[in-house]
Amino acid sequence: MRKFKTESKKLLDLMINSIYTNREIFLRELISNASDAIDKLYLKSLTDASANVDQANLAITLTADKDARTITVSDNGIGMTAEELEKNLGTIAHSGSEEFKAENAEAQGDAVDIIGRFGVGFYSAFMVAKEVTVVTRAFGSDECNRWTSDGVEGYTISAVPTDDPAYRATCGTDVIMALKDNTDDASYDEYTSEYTLKDLVKRYSNYVRYPVQMMVTKSRQKEKPADAGDDYKPEWESYEELETLNSMTPIWKKRAADVEQSEYDEFYKSTFHDWEVPARTFSLHAEGSLEYDALLFIPGKAPFDLYSRDYEKGLELYSSNVLIMEKCADLVPDYYNFVRGVVDSSDITLNISRETLQQNRQLQVMARRIEKKITSELEAMRDNDREAYEKFFDNFGRGIKYGIYSSYGMKKDELAGLLFFWSAKNEKFVTLQEYAEGMVEGQSQIYYAAGDDRDRLAKMPVVKAALAKGYDVLLCTADVDEFCFQAMRDFTATGLAKVYEDDAAREAAEKAQADGAEAETEDRALMLKNVSSGDLDLATDEEKTAAEKTAKANEGLFGAMKDTLDGAVAKVTVSAHLTGEGDAPSCVTAEGPVSLEMEQVLAAGPDGGENAPKATRVLEVNAAHPVFAKLQAAQEAGDAEKLALYTSLLYDQALLTEGLPVADPVAFAQNVCKLM
């Protein structure tokens, strides 16, 4: 027996047991080696007329023998001489494929696309085999040689006589694996199953450029005998047929003009196990220092576990048509975690196991390009197919909003244009840009209300007050909306009518337009404002002055009301935007960074409870409402009990209107009964 060169026992043990994390990839590695061997023969035929290669006959064959417990991977590639067996298999980590590529790169240029790089893939066979035999015959040689090893100490190389059944009549290689004995933890017999082998080929080697073939057992109905009676029952028989297991040509390598959408749909459904067709299909091809192809899909509906902790994002990553990673998470940002697809590049630098990448920079380059492509496709859907985009946003908009929040607003410039919100004024979904374009003259903020129900939000006093003044209000019902807006702070609208600093500048512009000049536009940063915030600035100067006077004149009343509420509010004051008899008698607003909606969301979270952040509440009273006169009368009469009753009812009523729970429902019910 010949010893492996290098520190064989330690290094071989490392190759077999430490490099790969999943033993089923042994088949991927051996098929890749077989593909390389066929490539070498084909490339040699380009310069050697004696090769006489018929491309139609080039193939890789799998054979499983359940009784003998063996698996054989055969190819009709270039084969190896005894010396090459010694060099390629006897020297661990020597890559014949890499050497061949280096020797032929200058002559063949881009035509050399060899999968193997490290010379260790072959040894993955020992993860499932207790003995591996390689029978090979080199192109142009009459000799056939056998290499045998148990993967422990060394190997033997011997000539195969011509009368030996294992002798190859043509060039090529057979890799025969005698499977390990089954254990309580692992059943190696599964690798002799037709179903398992077909599944592994489909999953890892579906797009190897040569057919991977195997004899499979099928059934068919026997022909009905001519003398069969009316009571004849159909009979079935089993037969074997050579079947090609892989697709060979990746759909993402084909020109888009040559592929029907139905083909993309079928590929998507079969690859990603979805019943529905994708909402959007798009591809990109990058050239330069890093070349790659990508085929991407936006699903028609959200997966049931999209927002669970168990959901794994990522695109399938291929290298030279061989699957490297089923879900490469680094290729898509979290807010595009719903995107599915494949990326294929022969330029990426893999680690020795070919299961992960060696250089993050390459991933980053691809990820940036892919992200831009996804964004542009979503923008096109938003602008050209509104109905489809609304459905998309209903499925995946929450993640995009969360992307702005989780990036602390740093991604708002890229993602804000994709956001959709319900317009209370127009009663339809609008973008922030569309909201800005519909603002009334003099409006400098985007107003929104956050809660769990659109109809209830539309009936809130502060929303109705804003609408009455001509301002639109975005009704936000997702739990992440408030956090998203807090992170954004503002939105830069583009192409808005220019606001002039003074009358002279405006008149000059109007004169220029009258003479044929185009109207001037500008980009403007608009603050995002919750209508339930205490510093909402909707009132006119006159309304503000009147509210201040009323508040000052009723300091004693408001102080008594605050004391009655016993710390539930920071203050009680006159509302500057509830100014009519028909408006609500009161409303609750919040001061500071924590809004009323944020308080509710945080309280419902895993860290909720007594320690959750609280909003600083303010009770605003409508001084024009008849209820206010009742409050004043109770205060002037010194009827503290009645004032306390009115105050409690007014506050609880305002909470219910905001969709907030009252602190003591029993006390609220009792107070209503007292009033009755």
Side-chain angles (χ1 to χ4, degrees):
M1 176 181 286
R2 309 184 193 188
K3 295 287 186 180
F4 286 110
K5 296 178 182 178
T6 72
E7 292 291 335
S8 62
K9 191 168 185 178
K10 291 181 181 179
L11 187 55
L12 188 57
D13 181 71
L14 176 68
M15 295 296 153
I16 298 170
N17 300 311
S18 300
I19 288 179
Y20 299 100
T21 58
N22 189 353
R23 65 170 176 260
E24 67 184 19
I25 57 85
F26 80 94
L27 193 60
R28 177 194 74 180
E29 297 298 310
L30 295 181
I31 290 176
S32 296
N33 287 348
S35 176
D36 283 352
I38 298 175
D39 273 337
K40 293 173 187 176
L41 180 62
Y42 174 70
L43 291 169
K44 190 171 186 65
S45 70
L46 299 179
T47 56
D48 188 343
S50 64
N52 193 25
V53 173
D54 183 0
Q55 266 194 288
N57 294 326
L58 297 176
I60 301 164
T61 305
L62 302 183
T63 307
D65 189 328
K66 291 185 178 182
D67 296 329
R69 300 184 74 248
T70 62
I71 304 171
T72 302
V73 180
S74 303
D75 67 71
N76 50 5
I78 199 164
M80 289 178 281
T81 63
E83 292 75 15
E84 288 170 333
L85 276 174
E86 174 78 28
K87 182 168 64 172
N88 294 336
L89 303 187
T91 304
I92 300 172
H94 174 84
S95 174
S97 293
E98 183 70 10
E99 183 178 321
F100 182 88
K101 180 176 181 177
E103 291 173 355
N104 290 271
E106 184 175 349
Q108 301 299 337
D110 293 337
V112 180
D113 184 14
I114 298 296
I115 300 171
R117 292 290 186 274
F118 302 106
V120 299
F122 166 79
Y123 303 99
S124 65
F126 288 105
M127 292 193 294
V128 299
K130 59 185 177 183
E131 182 179 82
V132 177
T133 300
V134 178
V135 177
T136 183
R137 176 177 173 177
F139 167 75
S141 172
D142 294 330
E143 291 185 1
C144 183
N145 293 284
R146 178 187 287 113
W147 180 98
T148 305
S149 174
D150 60 3
V152 179
E153 294 290 349
Y155 57 94
T156 61
I157 296 178
S158 60
V160 180
T162 55
D163 59 350
D164 190 315
Y167 181 84
R168 288 189 60 99
T170 58
C171 64
T173 301
D174 303 321
V175 179
I176 305 136
M177 292 160 281
L179 296 175
K180 291 181 178 180
D181 296 330
N182 296 326
T183 65
D184 292 338
D185 298 326
S187 173
Y188 295 94
D189 284 342
E190 65 175 321
Y191 296 114
T192 63
S193 162
E194 283 184 12
Y195 175 83
T196 299
L197 292 174
K198 289 168 72 173
D199 178 64
L200 293 180
V201 171
K202 200 77 175 174
R203 195 186 320 168
Y204 293 107
S205 306
N206 196 32
Y207 304 110
V208 169
R209 63 170 60 90
Y210 301 105
V212 180
Q213 300 176 332
M214 182 173 71
M215 293 296 295
V216 298
T217 302
K218 298 183 178 182
S219 63
R220 62 191 171 195
Q221 187 175 333
K222 291 183 178 180
E223 186 176 346
K224 183 179 178 180
D227 58 349
D230 295 338
D231 59 345
Y232 173 78
K233 294 181 179 180
E235 295 181 358
W236 297 79
E237 64 178 352
S238 297
Y239 69 100
E240 289 191 329
E241 182 177 277
L242 186 65
E243 182 177 302
T244 298
L245 308 181
N246 60 325
S247 300
M248 290 178 282
T249 304
I251 194 170
W252 58 84
K253 290 288 183 70
K254 298 179 181 179
R255 293 192 312 164
D258 297 334
V259 183
E260 298 289 337
Q261 182 60 46
S262 59
E263 295 179 72
Y264 284 131
D265 292 345
E266 286 304 314
F267 171 80
Y268 167 79
K269 289 193 288 186
S270 63
T271 304
F272 301 105
H273 313 294
D274 196 344
W275 292 102
E276 292 198 11
V277 298
R280 195 86 170 181
T281 303
F282 50 98
S283 59
L284 64 90
H285 174 72
E287 297 181 341
S289 58
L290 181 62
E291 295 188 3
Y292 57 92
D293 294 287
L295 178 60
L296 307 173
F297 302 92
I298 296 174
K301 66 177 181 179
F304 72 93
D305 60 343
L306 178 63
Y307 298 113
S308 71
R309 291 184 177 180
D310 297 331
Y311 182 79
E312 293 182 58
K313 66 167 185 167
L315 305 178
E316 291 189 353
L317 180 63
Y318 287 77
S319 178
S320 298
N321 300 347
V322 176
L323 180 65
I324 303 302
M325 298 175 69
E326 285 192 278
K327 290 190 176 181
C328 184
D330 293 334
L331 285 173
V332 284
D334 287 343
Y335 42 86
Y336 287 155
N337 63 349
F338 53 85
V339 176
R340 293 169 171 171
V342 297
V343 178
D344 188 358
S345 174
S346 59
D347 293 335
I348 52 177
T349 306
L350 303 173
N351 76 343
I352 195 170
S353 70
R354 295 202 296 151
E355 292 178 319
T356 54
L357 300 188
Q358 195 73 16
Q359 292 185 13
N360 285 331
R361 184 189 64 80
Q362 295 172 319
L363 271 186
Q364 291 167 0
V365 171
M366 289 192 290
R368 283 195 295 269
R369 177 76 184 276
I370 289 170
E371 180 183 352
K372 289 181 179 179
K373 181 65 174 177
I374 295 170
T375 301
S376 67
E377 289 293 330
L378 291 178
E379 290 172 343
M381 187 194 300
R382 176 200 65 198
D383 297 337
N384 303 321
D385 192 345
R386 192 71 164 211
E387 183 178 348
Y389 189 77
E390 286 187 15
K391 184 178 179 182
F392 154 78
F393 200 80
D394 183 55
N395 282 321
F396 306 110
R398 185 172 183 266
I400 295 177
K401 295 172 185 177
Y402 187 77
I404 295 177
Y405 166 69
S406 61
S407 67
Y408 302 99
M410 290 188 291
K411 284 292 181 179
K412 68 176 183 179
D413 291 339
E414 292 90 339
L415 300 178
L418 299 175
L419 300 180
F420 245 25
F421 299 99
W422 185 262
S423 163
K425 187 176 183 179
N426 300 306
E427 296 187 343
K428 65 178 183 178
F429 283 103
V430 298
T431 65
L432 294 177
Q433 176 67 27
E434 289 167 345
Y435 177 100
E437 291 170 354
M439 293 190 308
V440 298
E441 186 176 352
Q443 183 177 348
S444 60
Q445 299 183 114
I446 294 176
Y447 298 111
Y448 68 92
D452 57 2
D453 183 81
R454 187 191 302 164
D455 292 334
R456 185 190 60 76
L457 288 174
K459 296 173 184 177
M460 285 173 53
V462 287
V463 173
K464 294 173 72 174
L467 292 172
K469 294 181 180 294
Y471 301 127
D472 194 4
V473 180
L474 300 176
L475 306 182
C476 307
T477 55
D479 54 6
V480 72
D481 285 340
E482 178 74 14
F483 298 90
C484 174
F485 280 151
Q486 291 276 6
M488 286 179 64
R489 298 176 64 87
D490 60 43
F491 170 73
T492 301
T494 60
L496 299 184
K498 186 174 178 61
V499 176
Y500 298 98
E501 297 179 358
D502 50 46
D503 292 341
R506 186 182 68 256
E507 290 171 1
E510 291 173 350
K511 184 177 183 304
Q513 292 174 35
D515 293 335
E518 291 186 4
E520 292 185 280
T521 60
E522 64 181 359
D523 297 345
R524 198 181 312 150
L526 305 170
M527 296 298 295
L528 298 161
K529 195 69 173 178
N530 191 328
V531 292
S532 294
S533 60
D535 58 346
L536 185 65
D537 188 15
L538 293 180
T540 63
D541 292 339
E542 293 79 6
E543 290 171 335
K544 293 177 187 176
T545 302
E548 290 171 2
K549 287 181 179 180
T550 304
K552 190 171 184 180
N554 292 275
E555 286 181 350
L557 170 62
F558 293 146
M561 293 176 69
K562 179 185 175 185
D563 293 340
T564 297
L565 296 175
D566 192 23
V569 298
K571 66 180 180 180
V572 180
T573 187
V574 173
S575 175
H577 47 270
L578 298 179
T579 58
E581 287 188 23
D583 292 339
S586 64
C587 66
V588 176
T589 59
E591 291 182 338
V594 181
S595 69
L596 297 172
E597 174 62 19
M598 288 179 69
E599 177 185 304
Q600 293 297 102
V601 175
L602 293 171
D607 299 323
E610 293 298 323
N611 296 325
K614 305 291 184 184
T616 303
R617 299 183 179 185
V618 175
L619 177 60
E620 296 187 8
V621 181
N622 181 358
H625 198 280
V627 167
F628 185 63
K630 295 286 186 179
L631 293 170
Q632 287 177 313
Q635 171 71 5
E636 291 171 1
D639 192 342
E641 184 178 348
K642 181 179 286 188
L643 180 61
L645 174 63
Y646 288 170
T647 300
S648 296
L649 281 170
L650 203 61
Y651 177 64
D652 287 342
Q653 175 187 304
L655 290 177
L656 291 173
T657 304
E658 293 286 339
L660 302 173
V662 296
D664 190 343
V666 175
F668 173 68
Q670 291 173 344
N671 287 337
V672 171
C673 291
K674 286 179 183 179
L675 189 63
M676 294 171 66

